[in-house]
Amino acid sequence: MKLFGINGNKLNEKLAHNDDTKARRAGSEKKPRPASPSVPSVVSVAKRFGAGAFSLCVLFGAALAVLWPLPACDLPEKFPEFTGDISVGPFVKYATNPILPRGEAGAFDSAAVAGPAVIEEEGGRLRMYYGAVDAAGLQTIGTATSQEGLVWERRSVGPVLTPTAGSFDEAGVSDPSAIYDGSQYWVFFTGWDAGGTPRIGLASSGDGVTFEKAPAPIMESGGEGAYDSAGVAEPCAVFDEGRSKFLLYYTGYNQYGQGSIMLAVSDDGQTWTRYGIESGLAQPALGPATEEEGAFDSDSVGGPSVLFVTSREGRALLRLWYSGSQAGGSVHVGLAGSGGSEEQTGGYNWERYPANPVAHYARSPSVVSYGANLYMYYNELPQDESAGISLATRLELSREE
Amino acid sequence: MGADARGMGNAMTGVPAGAMSAYYNPGFLGFLGGASIEAGWLGALMDLELSGEGYDSQNLGGVELAAAVPLGGKLSFLSLGVAAYLPIGPAARLYAQAPNTPQFLLYRNLNRFAVYPALSVKIGDWFAFGAGVHVLASASGWINFEIDLANQSAPGRDFMFDMEPGFAPTAGVAINWKDVVTGGLSYRGEIDAAVEFPANFDLGIIELLVHGQGVQWFTPHELNLGAAWRPLPPLLVSFDLTYALWSNAPDQSTQVTIQPSVLLPEVKNPPVEMGFSDIVMPRLGVAYAPIEGLSLRTGYLYYPTPVPSQIHATNIADSDRHVLTLGAGYRFDDPLGVIPQGVSMDGFFQWHFLASRSVIKKSLVDEVGDYGISGRVIAGGLALTMHL
């Protein structure tokens, strides 16, 4: 600009000087006039053309320079994958299992710990009830607590539930299932009589440790020919808020010892009615997968663990994890899903997960929703309960965890 | 294509769009007022969500170039035009995921190099027709690896990869009655970008023939009908209808077949049926010139989704899209006098709104589960056109 200014001034001076010279040569008496503004000086050329074109280019160029990288800077190398339904899919076994080993020698749980049931108490603390066996083979139920689900502190002074002489559970108690309603603990369990027939009993507690047992079982074996004619065991009780009813899933054994998962419903948790009765017989909510050749659970299913979940779109759903086995085969944990209380058959009609099993060589699952993850407590096979209670999670835990 | 067109809701099938007519309706190249060159930049920021979780989509950015010229002399009835999009970054990205993975498939691989050359023939004062091609890159190749496991070496490492152009026709007819009423019909052919990659891995004890192929990007046959009316000299109203044959859409993922040379089972994943539907898209555009040289534009377009409800295994996320557009342009004399018919500068802004859509899975144990689809896309751009 300075160069233009200097040159322009000089040119103007020169033009004015020329005009003056011409006027004097003509002998004109007129006063010398200044350079006409209509004459295009270099300055005006610059102002009118150069500056206009220059600023146009600068403007467009600057806009491009600023805007160009805006979208390009966000080109991902790989599109992230949307996290699927956390409640569907395989579990990852925890690296340092078991998280609850057998108790020390002489303890009530020194021979085995099995059949866990985990609930979340107020304040986020987890409480586990588990079947315990001492060195003499006595089956009782113990409890342990944990703040984060990995390190458990057992109540080592003794079991919280023991057999009652002369009762339906005189030979042992096992397979607990717990509900905590904010003030009261309800523990459903398998009670074994002296003849080895399992029935389902109920005990309640205000503190989760001192229980009072109902004197009679809440669920007896079914009649002759029923799917649960040989015994009922491994209860899993949940409260269905949509229906305002308790649901009790349990393993029913038929006369051949084959297990099916049955369902009973109750308004008060004490009086139960079998669900799905056809031709006078309660039908299984989930029976062995006899129609599917080679299925891992084609012979027997049992040990249910049921959880209410809500889909991202607000749909109430139920998840059922269960133990399943082939004839002569090992036991694995499978998954099935059902509609919630909004559907008439919700909780009764179950759809198996096609990619079952979700945990290999595992049995007696208890699944609890914890944070953004699902924790499954189970017994690892083939060590089974002698090794202790293990943990598997849907999302792999980081090293820090 | 084109900042002025985008400001008018892309309702340009029945409107002369200058050099960009090579894309919208080649027939309108026959009604060029003169030669023109256009250069523009555009960008689009995508904010797509699955159940409220942000989905890191591929934003768009690129440069549009277009040129058109009516021939003179004995060929004055002919006009030529070409429009091109040059993406910022890779010339094309062909990225594919398995169809059961949740993905905004129709918003992917859009940032690609594309060229639309076209020729138009004008017959009389009011009728013209044109035709051209849509050129897009495709790719194929092969790998032949010999791997010596015993010596831990790879003596054979043959590799070949071809970028091959794919072509699809474009055509259009245009009528222009005294610049008051115009209309047109245009067609853009279906085109896809496919990759084929046979690979042979000779491991000595076993030979694996791995064949990967798939269509990673697809646009359907499109038939566009448009009309425009200028009730007052400064006011232009245009309306378009597009029929898009999305029912032809293939599985846009990679199909892999692995054939071992020994008695091992063959691994194969055949393409899945996408079940897309044909759609009809309406578009409306309005332009108003309050003063000479200035043009204010607005428009609306509705893009119904061709994707069926994803209740089964596939998870192609999409929903009906509403698009509001704004634009402005100013045409002025070239202060340098180099460009005889002047220069115009245009800008546009588009707001795309994806209506919320809920996917409720039929299976009660679907690994993905239920989810909601929503999103927004904001696009904008500038263009400079020199009217020669």
Side-chain angles (χ1 to χ4, degrees), chain A residues 45-92:
Chain A
V45 165
K47 282 182 178 171
R48 286 172 56 193
F49 305 133
F54 180 73
S55 34
L56 192 66
C57 293
V58 167
L59 184 66
F60 191 67
L64 278 184
V66 171
L67 297 172
W68 181 287
L70 265 183
C73 64
D74 198 24
L75 288 173
E77 287 304 313
K78 185 179 187 304
F79 290 89
E81 290 191 3
F82 181 63
T83 308
D85 187 337
I86 187 72
S87 67
V88 178
F91 280 76
V92 182

Side-chain angles (χ1 to χ4, degrees), chain A residues 22-171:
Chain A
K22 284 177 187 173
R24 277 197 289 275
R25 280 177 185 169
S28 169
E29 295 298 322
K30 289 180 183 174
K31 285 185 177 178
R33 60 183 176 86
S36 167
S38 62
V39 175
S41 67
V42 170
V43 174
S44 59
V45 165
K47 282 182 178 171
R48 286 172 56 193
F49 305 133
F54 180 73
S55 34
L56 192 66
C57 293
V58 167
L59 184 66
F60 191 67
L64 278 184
V66 171
L67 297 172
W68 181 287
L70 265 183
C73 64
D74 198 24
L75 288 173
E77 287 304 313
K78 185 179 187 304
F79 290 89
E81 290 191 3
F82 181 63
T83 308
D85 187 337
I86 187 72
S87 67
V88 178
F91 280 76
V92 182
K93 292 182 178 177
Y94 187 50
T96 54
N97 277 328
I99 47 92
L100 188 76
R102 286 178 293 167
E104 294 176 355
F108 73 96
D109 55 359
S110 61
V113 288
V118 178
I119 54 172
E120 187 172 353
E121 296 179 325
E122 284 177 352
R125 187 172 75 162
L126 295 177
R127 177 175 289 279
M128 177 193 293
Y129 293 99
Y130 60 93
V133 183
D134 67 10
L138 179 66
Q139 295 184 67
T140 57
I141 291 174
T143 187
T145 56
S146 173
Q147 293 297 336
E148 65 337 76
L150 302 178
V151 179
W152 290 85
E153 185 179 347
R154 77 182 77 210
R155 183 179 178 273
S156 54
V157 295
V160 294
L161 277 172
T162 55
T164 303
S167 180
F168 72 95
D169 62 356
E170 62 181 342

Side-chain angles (χ1 to χ4, degrees), chain B residues 37-50:
Chain B
I37 299 173
E38 180 173 340
W41 170 93
L42 73 88
L45 301 174
M46 299 195 190
D47 177 20
L48 307 175
E49 292 181 351
L50 290 172

Side-chain angles (χ1 to χ4, degrees), chain B residues 93-112:
Chain B
R93 173 177 285 180
L94 301 178
Y95 180 74
Q97 289 176 302
N100 59 323
T101 303
Q103 56 193 287
F104 283 90
L105 177 70
L106 304 189
Y107 294 80
R108 173 181 296 175
N109 299 330
L110 296 174
N111 216 29
R112 71 202 181 277

